[in-house]
Amino acid sequence: MERRHVRTVAVLRRVADHWIGAHRDPGDNQWARATFFCGLMALHRLTREPRYLAYTRGWAERHGYGLHNGPTTRHADDQCAGQVYLDLYALDPAPDPAKLAAIEESVRRMTDAAGQRHDDWWWDDALHMAMPPFARLGALRADRSYWDAMHALYVHTRDAEGGPGLYDPGSALWYRDKRFLPGGITSPDGRPVLWSRGNGWAAAAHAKVLAVLPDTFAPTAAYRRTLAAQLAALRTVQRPDGFWNVNLADPGHLPGPETSGTAFFTYATAAAIRTGVVPRGDYLPVAARAWAAMTATAVHPDGFLGYVQNVGDRPESSQPVTHDSTADFGVGAFLLAGTELAALGG
């Protein structure tokens, strides 16, 4: 077990170090780069490597701990950076409130208006970008109103967006947005389009908020059931090689390895094992098989992470996905996955 843990950490360091070495400019503060820094901060918590913290702090300070489109934004993508700012805030011996000023103003504005509007999260990616800041600010401030607002927004996405909502109880999976609901866009063979990374965003969102929410918050139990059902569905459609297809509902639709969805599913599965959402004996093999596939197939010898589908909203986006396809959010997902597996002793 100890040897496997060392190997996992070594791969994580190699992938993180390659990205940092290739990107001396830490980049913008939008969702894709913020997702990378979520993963890098997870790796810092695991390794206590000062370089990872310094690189993240440099990025946050460059942007003044601000949000893309400013503190009045309601857009979930803009709020993703707040997850990293919350990580940095938590590390300070004397926390600086200025680090949370922008994300807290943005979320507070939505919390105060929750009774008037809760249709902002019209695509399933939004759950990952925005739910964690709501959950974590509620815990930090001991203010349940953040959680209540988050849940109202979530329920609209799950049960009402586009009419029936983006969550499909029959498959326990998520449609990316209303265009893909029954009667809308299908695969070339006429099957549903249940995009892998879109489902990865939803799974990661549930894993992150369940790390924060107490059992005394009534919706917590439903979040646990929804994540458990999704992971059970994913377990049945995992490929023999350990990856998941870009369309979970049609294995013939652009088949091939894809790292970002697979990494998010690995992360959510490992987190769910650690928090008791799913049983270790049934699900650790799922996560371990996915991790082995990514490290053997997608990680280059120098740490470059391949087979990442770049920015998009469906299986056809940013195709072809190849050994040399990468993206910051995919690296972040991979770092999250590995750190959770390492926490399980993997």
Side-chain angles (χ1 to χ4, degrees), residues 281-332:
D282 292 337
Y283 285 87
L284 184 56
V286 175
R289 191 160 53 245
W291 182 253
M294 290 188 291
T295 56
T297 304
V299 178
H300 296 207
D302 65 357
F304 180 97
L305 182 70
Y307 288 112
V308 178
Q309 184 185 19
N310 217 299
V311 174
D313 62 3
R314 65 189 75 191
E316 289 83 359
S317 299
S318 299
Q319 291 286 350
V321 176
T322 72
H323 193 235
D324 297 319
S325 304
T326 198
D328 41 10
F329 55 84
V331 175

Side-chain angles (χ1 to χ4, degrees), residues 31-331:
W31 65 270
R33 197 54 57 96
T35 301
F36 163 76
F37 280 106
C38 288
L40 189 64
M41 284 300 294
L43 183 57
H44 168 70
R45 290 191 293 273
L46 175 68
T47 64
R48 298 299 172 186
E49 172 57 60
R51 291 184 299 107
Y52 301 155
L53 180 58
Y55 189 66
T56 307
R57 278 183 171 152
W59 169 80
E61 290 168 1
R62 172 179 175 173
H63 297 290
Y65 289 84
L67 304 181
H68 181 64
N69 290 317
T72 62
T73 184
R74 296 178 62 94
H75 201 289
D77 285 352
D78 297 337
Q79 295 169 334
C80 189
Q83 298 184 48
V84 189
Y85 302 157
L86 281 153
D87 288 342
L88 293 169
Y89 178 89
L91 289 177
D92 287 346
D96 179 0
K99 293 180 178 178
L100 300 186
I103 184 59
E104 190 155 21
E105 179 179 346
S106 177
V107 170
R108 186 75 250 173
R109 283 171 173 269
M110 293 180 70
T111 299
D112 292 343
Q116 292 75 47
R117 178 182 172 190
H118 43 76
D119 59 352
D120 294 270
W121 299 348
W122 54 264
W123 72 116
D124 64 357
D125 314 32
L127 302 181
H128 169 268
M129 310 308 172
M131 285 183 75
F134 276 81
R136 293 174 66 180
L137 284 167
L140 180 66
R141 303 306 186 205
D143 185 345
R144 182 192 161 116
S145 67
Y146 289 99
W147 298 343
D148 291 335
M150 176 189 74
H151 187 61
L153 289 153
Y154 169 86
V155 167
H156 174 89
T157 308
R158 186 190 67 191
D159 299 337
E161 177 60 31
L166 301 185
Y167 179 69
D168 175 29
S171 67
L173 298 172
W174 294 76
Y175 293 100
R176 196 272 178 177
D177 60 62
K178 65 183 179 183
R179 297 171 298 166
F180 300 92
L181 291 169
I185 297 171
T186 62
S187 77
D189 287 339
R191 297 190 185 185
V193 174
L194 293 164
W195 185 38
S196 180
R197 189 164 67 244
N199 274 273
W201 293 127
H206 284 77
K208 287 185 176 185
V209 300
L210 285 170
V212 175
L213 296 175
D215 290 340
T216 52
F217 181 57
T220 297
Y223 294 156
R224 291 171 66 89
R225 289 193 299 270
T226 300
L227 178 58
Q230 184 184 17
L231 295 179
L234 291 167
R235 184 181 174 211
T236 67
V237 296
Q238 187 178 25
R239 292 159 39 136
D241 66 2
F243 285 93
W244 279 270
N245 289 306
V246 289
N247 185 356
L248 300 171
D250 187 347
H253 187 189
L254 295 164
E258 201 288 306
T259 303
S260 66
T262 297
F264 277 125
F265 297 149
T266 306
Y267 163 66
T269 300
I273 293 168
R274 185 169 55 81
T275 55
V277 173
V278 295
R280 182 186 180 103
D282 292 337
Y283 285 87
L284 184 56
V286 175
R289 191 160 53 245
W291 182 253
M294 290 188 291
T295 56
T297 304
V299 178
H300 296 207
D302 65 357
F304 180 97
L305 182 70
Y307 288 112
V308 178
Q309 184 185 19
N310 217 299
V311 174
D313 62 3
R314 65 189 75 191
E316 289 83 359
S317 299
S318 299
Q319 291 286 350
V321 176
T322 72
H323 193 235
D324 297 319
S325 304
T326 198
D328 41 10
F329 55 84
V331 175

Side-chain angles (χ1 to χ4, degrees), residues 10-22 298-306 323-324:
V11 172
L12 290 167
R13 283 182 172 274
R14 184 156 33 106
V15 170
D17 290 348
H18 182 277
W19 183 272
I20 293 170
V299 178
H300 296 207
D302 65 357
F304 180 97
L305 182 70
H323 193 235
D324 297 319

